[in-house]
């Protein structure tokens, strides 16, 4: 293998204090042509993430020192890497907290390393960098303006600071203003059809999107929940 081939390989960071498990995951990734580094604690994980800018971080929740949730929160201040949380318990709260601090997916231990690498492969097929938008005219919903070409949302004249995922959700919903999208449809459009993860990741990002748009979850103006179905945009201007 040439150096160029090695440089082109996706890079993963495995953050896990159980050495045996970390090694096992890294070996599986290596077999799948993904270069993996290992960090045994949160501090080291953040140092390595800064130094080597991984494409994906496999992040154990229970770590000595800084825990996985805090690592994820800090990681998100400088990195757009995909994050898969590893949790020992199938607890809803762990999962939701993980997604809320910016994780993309989670797996409950014990998990199949084969499934983990399949999920990582699916993630890496969807680059995080903004896709060139189709453009098209600015869409207006009350005092919310969405500019697909510039990938900007402006509320009452002020630009909303949205992440790529948040903008993609808003773009999808506003592309068909009268349509109701199911969570699955939104996952397909925003995360990709080969996404294996939990569809409730949509709710977490909608919640953050609404907050940034100044939308009240109890009485939203822009992104409406349709009970038992999914989401749609509020009435157009
Ligand atoms: Ca651990």
């Amino acid at each position: 293998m040439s150096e160029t081939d090695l440089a082109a390989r996706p890079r993963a960071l495995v953050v896990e204090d159980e050495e045996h498990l970390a090694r096992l995951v890294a070996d599986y990734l290596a077999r799948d042509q993904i270069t993996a580094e290992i960090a045994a604690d949160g501090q080291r994980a953040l140092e390595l993430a800064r130094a080597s800018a991984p494409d994906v971080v496999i992040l154990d929740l229970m770590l000595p020192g800084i825990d996985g949730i805090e690592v994820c929160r800090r990681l998100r201040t400088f990195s757009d890497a995909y994050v898969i949380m590893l949790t020992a318990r199938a607890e809803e709260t762990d999962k939701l907290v993980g997604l809320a601090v910016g994780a993309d997916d989670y797996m409950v231990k014990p998990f199949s390393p084969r499934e983990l690498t399949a999920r990582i492969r699916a993630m890496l097929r969807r680059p995080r960098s903004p896709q060139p938008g189709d453009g098209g005219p600015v869409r207006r919903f009350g005092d919310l303006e969405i500019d697909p070409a510039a990938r900007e949302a402006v509320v009452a004249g002020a630009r909303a600071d949205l992440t790529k995922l948040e903008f993609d959700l808003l773009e999808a919903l506003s592309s068909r203003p009268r349509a109701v999208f199911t969570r699955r449809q939104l996952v397909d459009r925003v995360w990709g059809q080969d996404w294996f993860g939990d569809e409730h990741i949509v709710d977490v990002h909608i919640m953050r999107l609404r907050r940034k748009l100044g939308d009240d979850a109890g009485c939203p103006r822009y992104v409406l929940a349709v009970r038992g179905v999914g989401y749609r945009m509020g009435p157009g201007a």
Side-chain angles (χ1 to χ4, degrees):
M1 163 125 356
S2 75
E3 264 181 47
T4 335
D5 288 341
L6 273 174
R9 284 182 170 202
R11 290 184 309 278
L13 174 60
V14 181
V15 188
E16 169 60 83
D17 56 315
E18 289 167 59
E19 199 184 331
H20 166 78
L21 181 58
R23 183 54 54 202
L24 178 75
V25 168
D27 286 349
Y28 263 88
L29 292 170
R31 263 182 256 171
D32 218 21
Q33 314 297 315
I34 297 170
T35 306
E37 287 186 298
I38 294 174
D41 65 68
Q43 195 62 48
R44 181 76 186 131
L46 290 165
E47 286 165 13
L48 279 178
R50 278 184 198 280
S52 56
D55 301 292
V56 57
V57 178
I58 296 103
L59 180 57
D60 186 32
L61 204 65
M62 300 292 283
L63 292 168
I66 313 169
D67 72 13
I69 295 289
E70 186 56 25
V71 170
C72 189
R73 204 192 309 273
R74 294 192 199 176
L75 183 75
R76 275 291 170 254
T77 64
F78 64 89
S79 169
D80 239 357
Y82 283 109
V83 174
I84 300 185
M85 289 264 189
L86 303 180
T87 155
R89 296 163 296 178
E91 282 187 16
E92 197 75 0
T93 49
D94 283 359
K95 167 179 119 183
L96 291 179
V97 168
L99 297 176
V101 294
D104 296 280
D105 200 2
Y106 64 92
M107 294 197 79
V108 177
K109 293 180 182 178
F111 58 87
S112 144
R114 194 184 302 275
E115 189 187 341
L116 175 67
T117 49
R119 289 195 192 187
I120 290 170
R121 273 286 161 208
M123 287 174 166
L124 295 175
R125 278 195 291 274
R126 274 189 64 75
R128 191 77 110 178
S129 54
Q131 309 295 312
D134 306 338
V138 171
R139 304 165 189 164
R140 289 193 171 77
F141 300 85
D143 55 5
L144 167 64
E145 293 182 3
I146 301 156
D147 182 343
R151 295 185 55 83
E152 267 188 7
V154 173
V155 185
R159 189 174 177 279
D161 186 19
L162 305 183
T163 64
K164 177 186 183 294
L165 286 174
E166 289 156 4
F167 186 85
D168 286 349
L169 278 170
L170 189 60
E171 199 281 327
L173 288 165
S174 63
S175 67
R176 290 169 57 209
R178 269 173 277 280
V180 179
F181 289 79
T182 65
R183 288 184 182 80
R184 185 68 239 175
Q185 285 170 323
L186 290 169
V187 164
D188 285 352
R189 285 204 41 164
V190 174
W191 281 265
Q193 293 187 353
D194 46 10
W195 182 260
F196 291 83
D198 191 306
E199 290 174 14
H200 285 90
I201 195 169
V202 170
D203 301 338
V204 174
H205 290 271
I206 292 274
M207 190 180 75
R208 291 154 68 110
L209 171 63
R210 278 178 172 160
R211 200 180 302 146
K212 290 186 182 177
L213 297 179
D215 220 354
D216 176 1
C219 182
R221 291 165 296 170
Y222 308 126
V223 180
L224 312 186
V226 180
R227 191 179 290 274
V229 187
Y231 294 97
R232 72 173 179 87
M233 286 305 285

